[in-house]
């Protein structure tokens, strides 16, 4: 079978919310999905998947990466070629680390690479396309652009601002064996919250930006939340207990995204290792400890013949 251009894509995991920044703040982390996509004659489709969630991922046109590439081609007014996709999922699936956002981002960047020289995409185009598929930009913004991102919906569609994280911030993710549905977690949210809780989260979200970019010693206070985590606790009690245990011990622990993973934003490598020991001693279910860095590049795509962008 004749083949055309091949592109390689790498996309980081992300953690959204970061405590008080519900549907607004996101952080890119150094765990990655990788993707190799090759053009085939129209109508052909070959999919290979390994890594997290591989047994549950469809190998037909309903695959999220395939649907994303098709969405980009349709938006650009270009016919969809056949595709060979080889994916390796390093981002844990269904654990609150942005696996669906990573898949959408991977598909967006793969299409960008395949269409390079014919159709050009701005950062705003990429974020718009990703948000159309993901529904909200808080995970796809850091997946696309890296670092700490503030994302919002403006008059011109989804917007973002990327910020550099203080070098003292040392992320730790504690990953359980069980999963959580994002839609189920969202269904537990109340339609309204009190003014006092809204003001509380506004103050903590503002403080969190300062803590992550300038003053990591403020992270414990800055990651407090009253808008979403307590309401979702009944669906993941082990997560809630671990977050509470770590916070009582002085660590800035939050639910990662919709959960059930726990994100700890430690103020240094030593503090992070201490948090691992506290979690290991307190946990009533096994948790995998991932000692990570903040990813500053975001997703990348490279043509086999030309290198990465």
């Amino acid at each position: 079978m004749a083949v055309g251009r091949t592109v390689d894509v790498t996309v980081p995991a992300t953690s959204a919310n970061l405590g008080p920044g519900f549907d607004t703040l996101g952080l890119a982390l150094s765990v990655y999905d990788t993707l190799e996509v090759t053009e085939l004659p129209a109508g052909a489709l070959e999919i290979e998947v390994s890594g997290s969630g591989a047994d549950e991922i469809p190998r037909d046109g309903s695959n999220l990466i395939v649907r994303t590439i098709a969405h980009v081609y349709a938006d650009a007014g270009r016919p969809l070629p056949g595709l060979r996709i080889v994916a390796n999922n390093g981002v844990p699936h269904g654990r609150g680390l942005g696996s669906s956002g990573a898949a959408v981002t991977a598909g967006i960047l793969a299409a960008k690479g395949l269409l390079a020289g014919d159709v050009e995409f701005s950062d705003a185009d990429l974020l718009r396309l990703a948000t159309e598929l993901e529904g909200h930009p808080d995970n796809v913004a850091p997946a696309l652009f890296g670092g700490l991102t503030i994302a919002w919906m403006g008059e011109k569609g989804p917007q973002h601002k990327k910020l550099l994280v203080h070098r003292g911030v040392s992320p730790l993710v504690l990953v359980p064996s069980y999963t959580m549905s994002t839609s189920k977690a969202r269904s537990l949210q109340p339609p309204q919250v009190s003014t006092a809780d809204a003001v509380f989260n506004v103050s903590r979200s503002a403080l969190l930006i300062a803590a992550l970019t300038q003053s990591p010693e403020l992270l414990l206070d800055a990651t407090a939340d009253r808008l979403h985590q307590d309401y979702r606790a009944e669906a993941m009690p082990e997560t809630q207990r671990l977050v509470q245990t770590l916070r009582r011990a002085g660590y800035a622990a939050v639910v990662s995204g919709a959960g059930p993973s726990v994100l700890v934003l430690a103020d240094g490598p030593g503090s992070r290792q201490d948090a691992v020991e506290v979690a290991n001693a307190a946990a009533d279910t096994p948790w995998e400890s991932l000692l990570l860095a903040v990813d500053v590049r975001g997703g990348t795509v490279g043509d086999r013949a030309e290198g990465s962008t």
Side-chain angles (χ1 to χ4, degrees):
M1 182 176 293
V3 299
R5 173 178 277 175
T6 295
V7 296
D8 294 304
V9 176
T10 300
V11 178
T14 55
S15 183
N17 304 327
L18 310 181
F22 184 63
D23 278 3
T24 300
L25 299 181
L27 189 67
L29 298 168
S30 60
V31 177
Y32 301 93
D33 284 352
T34 60
L35 192 68
E36 174 192 297
V37 181
T38 301
E39 291 177 324
L40 297 178
L45 181 61
E46 302 174 8
I47 301 175
E48 299 177 19
V49 186
S50 59
S52 181
D55 293 341
E56 304 162 8
I57 293 172
R59 268 68 166 178
D60 58 21
S62 67
N63 181 283
L64 182 54
I65 292 173
V66 174
R67 289 189 285 118
T68 299
I69 294 173
H71 180 76
V72 178
Y73 269 78
D75 186 84
R78 299 295 188 270
L80 182 68
L83 299 168
R84 175 184 297 149
I85 296 172
V86 180
N88 181 262
N89 298 330
V91 178
H93 272 227
R95 304 304 203 284
L97 289 167
S99 58
S100 66
V104 167
T105 300
I108 296 285
L109 293 177
K112 174 189 175 183
L114 293 175
L115 288 166
D118 177 25
V119 181
E120 298 304 318
F121 298 91
S122 67
D123 286 352
D125 292 331
L126 299 177
L127 185 59
R128 173 184 61 82
L129 289 162
T131 303
E132 287 172 356
L133 290 157
E134 181 69 357
H136 43 90
D138 56 332
N139 277 117
V140 293
L144 281 166
F145 308 117
L148 168 66
T149 58
I150 307 169
W152 68 99
M153 296 300 294
E155 294 182 358
K156 297 181 179 180
Q159 309 290 317
H160 86 285
K161 174 64 178 177
K162 176 181 176 180
L163 300 173
L164 296 179
V165 176
H166 191 283
R167 63 182 181 180
V169 176
S170 298
L172 163 67
V173 178
L174 299 160
V175 184
S177 58
Y178 58 92
T179 63
M180 169 60 63
S181 162
T182 299
S183 59
K184 179 180 179 180
R186 284 186 171 274
S187 73
L188 300 173
Q189 289 293 123
Q192 295 179 327
V193 297
S194 70
T195 299
D197 286 349
V199 171
F200 181 93
N201 269 59
V202 168
S203 69
R204 296 316 191 273
S205 295
L207 182 61
L208 183 53
I209 298 301
L212 284 169
T213 60
Q214 298 178 353
S215 306
E217 70 276 8
L218 299 175
L219 280 166
L220 180 60
D221 282 346
T223 49
D225 161 70
R226 291 185 185 172
L227 287 190
H228 66 102
Q229 293 181 126
D230 288 346
Y231 296 109
R232 297 173 173 183
E234 64 181 77
M236 42 186 169
E238 299 96 335
T239 296
Q240 180 74 351
R241 284 195 294 271
L242 184 55
V243 167
Q244 292 175 339
T245 296
L246 285 161
R247 292 191 69 84
R248 283 195 298 267
Y251 301 101
V254 298
V255 178
S256 181
S261 293
V262 173
L263 171 69
V264 180
L265 294 169
D267 59 4
S271 176
R272 176 170 64 179
Q273 187 57 51
D274 291 342
V276 171
E277 295 174 7
V278 170
N280 288 341
D284 50 8
T285 186
W287 297 78
E288 180 184 5
S289 298
L290 303 179
L291 281 67
L292 304 176
V294 175
D295 174 273
V296 298
R297 292 190 67 188
T300 62
V301 58
D303 189 297
R304 281 287 173 90
E306 299 175 7
S308 297
T309 59

